[in-house]
């Protein structure tokens, strides 16, 4: 008798469970075919965990995950139907009283905040950071070079992204550890308890203090022509269409979101890329032979393993997607990591190919789509280009450590690793370009 092929059961997918993470891509492939609008009812423990947070205003007992490209696009392009102000996680977060800022806002408040924040991360402000980023990358490589092994996240990617956020604030890089602690405290507010909320509030207080003192000094220096504008000063000095500036509170919120949005996502993307190049040596060879492919290589890393697995919206009215009816106030998750693998949109999506067609690659959703599309994408792309180029050029023998096993990040929103051990021959390391 022929072996029976087991039939996939969509209820085996629990988006909050760490158990689904090691083969989450298999779940998404099955869900796209068999259950593209996936319903999950939270367990009692999950409901309790989601509600045990002082920022939460109401209980949520279910969530839908959209796994097909076209449904996700429809969701992201309809911000009046799918709202952001109740937070981008499954919790029902209290909407900000002033209408909110960036990711925590909708409609006019969102437009106002994008208008002011966009120039703060424009290529003009980001370009001068390139030499600092390159120096930080080379310092980090020098620090580990002779050890012959490292955890890509702890020893390279996390210090790099926290350093980058420090540059955004215009702070000296020695304060990177402090900025990292702020980022981690803010991120832990989601899914966290009272203690996490307290730490998050403390971090917001520290950012507020930094904006007041450091920001005022920097603005004065820019006005005197003694310093060039950085992200913080641009946030403080840019008016919107009506000529109004961000309030102090809004600058703090915008900054907190940049820190939270730019920290783990970029670190995860770096580790994902290292993993993908190490497991696809023919693609790495291609990149070495044709370094000009770095741009599409970065996009393919982001497509193949979108670092943000998915983010949540709240329906403003009744909505029907793929025949599934959802009532007003339903939490709906757009799963970017699944959209990027949709066979209807990408040719051979499970193949990692750094010379994919540019037009096809532009369709990936690693940075989202529509009005909330990632504000830090120029910076993130620059960081990834420099990181991959330098790592694989200066450490030509870099490979996954065969004695150790990488582990996946268990947090629902993150799609990638939290431990990625690699090794190399210290004698092969190439000196930095002076
Ligand atoms: C590879 C790295 C990154 C990835 C994969 C990523 C991903 C995303 C995604 C998917 C969104 C859309 C959110 C939504 O639709 O609700 C987003 C928004 C955002 N990102 Fe990023 N991001 C990255 C790096 C950064 C960096 C470096 C910064 C800091 C400058 C940043 C700041 C933001 C902000 C402020 C928003 C909110 C924009 C809005 O709601 O209008 N991100 N990001």
């Amino acid at each position: 008798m022929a072996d029976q092929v087991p039939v996939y059961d969509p209820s085996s997918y629990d988006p909050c469970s760490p158990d689904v993470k090691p083969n989450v891509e298999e779940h998404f492939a099955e869900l796209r075919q068999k259950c593209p609008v996936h319903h999950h009812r939270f367990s009692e423990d999950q409901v309790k965990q989601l509600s045990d947070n002082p920022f939460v205003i109401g209980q949520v007992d279910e969530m839908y995950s959209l796994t097909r490209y076209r449904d996700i696009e429809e969701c992201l392009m309809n911000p009046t139907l799918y709202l952001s102000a109740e937070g981008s996680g499954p919790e029902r977060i209290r909407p900000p009283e002033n209408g909110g800022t960036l990711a925590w806002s909708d409609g006019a408040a969102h437009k106002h905040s994008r208008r002011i924040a966009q120039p703060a991360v424009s290529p003009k402000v980001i370009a001068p950071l390139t030499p600092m980023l390159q120096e930080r990358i080379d310092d980090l490589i020098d620090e580990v070079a002779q050890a012959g092994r490292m955890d890509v996240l702890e020893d390279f990617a996390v210090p790099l992204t926290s350093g980058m956020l420090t540059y955004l604030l215009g702070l000296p890089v020695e304060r990177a550890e402090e900025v990292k602690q702020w980022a981690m405290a803010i991120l832990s507010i989601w899914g966290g308890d009272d203690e996490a909320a307290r730490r998050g509030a403390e971090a917001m207080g520290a950012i507020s203090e930094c904006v007041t003192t450091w920001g005022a000094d920097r603005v004065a220096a820019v006005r005197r022509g003694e310093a060039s504008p950085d992200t913080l000063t641009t946030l403080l000095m840019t008016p919107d269409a009506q000529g109004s500036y961000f309030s102090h509170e809004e600058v703090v919120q915008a900054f907190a979101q940049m820190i939270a949005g730019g920290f783990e996502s970029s670190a995860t993307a770096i580790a994902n890329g290292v993993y993908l190049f190490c497991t696809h040596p023919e693609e790495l060879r291609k990149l070495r032979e044709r370094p000009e492919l770095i741009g599409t290589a970065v996009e393919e890393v982001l497509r193949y393993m979108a670092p943000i697995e998915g983010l949540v919206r709240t329906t403003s009215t009744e909505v029907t997607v793929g025949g599934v009816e959802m009532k007003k106030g339903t939490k709906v998750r757009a799963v970017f990591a699944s959209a990027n693998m949709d066979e209807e949109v990408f040719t051979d999506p499970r193949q990692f190919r750094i010379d994919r067609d540019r037009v096809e690659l532009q369709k990936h959703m690693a940075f989202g789509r529509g009005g909330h599309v990632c504000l830090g994408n120029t910076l993130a792309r620059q960081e990834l280009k420099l990181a991959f180029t330098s790592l694989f050029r200066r450490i030509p023998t870099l490979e996954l450590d065969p004695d150790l096993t990488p582990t996946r990040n268990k947090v629902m929103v993150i799609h990638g690793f939290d431990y990625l051990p690699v090794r190399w021959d210290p004698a092969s390391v190439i000196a930095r370009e002076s």
Side-chain angles (χ1 to χ4, degrees), residues 296-360:
T296 48
V298 163
E299 299 308 314
E300 178 67 345
V301 166
L302 290 164
R303 181 196 72 82
Y304 195 90
M305 250 186 131
I308 305 284
E309 183 176 297
L311 290 170
V312 179
R313 301 283 197 261
T314 312
T315 55
S316 62
T317 182
E318 286 147 34
V319 184
T320 303
V321 188
V324 177
E325 288 174 23
M326 303 171 200
K327 52 185 190 296
K328 179 179 172 181
T330 300
K331 287 283 183 173
V332 183
R333 188 169 69 120
V335 184
F336 310 126
S338 177
N340 284 2
M341 285 284 164
D342 194 326
E343 300 75 4
E344 280 183 15
V345 178
F346 299 98
T347 334
D348 303 326
R350 311 283 298 253
Q351 272 184 27
F352 176 67
R353 265 203 340 255
I354 66 163
D355 50 358
R356 258 179 201 276
D357 178 49
R358 269 175 197 278
V359 177
E360 185 181 59

Side-chain angles (χ1 to χ4, degrees), residues 8-14 38-39:
Y8 180 75
D9 173 8
S11 69
S12 67
Y13 176 64
D14 172 350
H38 176 267
H39 178 253

Side-chain angles (χ1 to χ4, degrees), residues 76 84 88 101-105 110 113-114 117 121 126 164-165 168 231 254 256-270 302 306-308 310-313 336 365-369 371-381 383-384:
L76 299 177
S84 294
S88 50
T101 312
L102 298 173
W104 307 332
S105 65
H110 180 243
S113 60
R114 287 287 292 204
V121 281
I126 298 307
M164 172 207 72
L165 295 168
L168 280 189
T231 300
Q257 288 184 44
M258 287 185 188
I259 287 177
F263 175 65
E264 217 173 357
S265 51
S266 304
T268 303
I270 292 169
L302 290 164
I308 305 284
L311 290 170
V312 179
R313 301 283 197 261
F336 310 126
M365 290 215 192
F367 290 120
R369 176 68 52 90
H372 286 275
V373 71
C374 178
L375 203 61
N377 70 76
T378 308
L379 178 56
R381 287 182 158 117
E383 208 178 3
L384 295 179

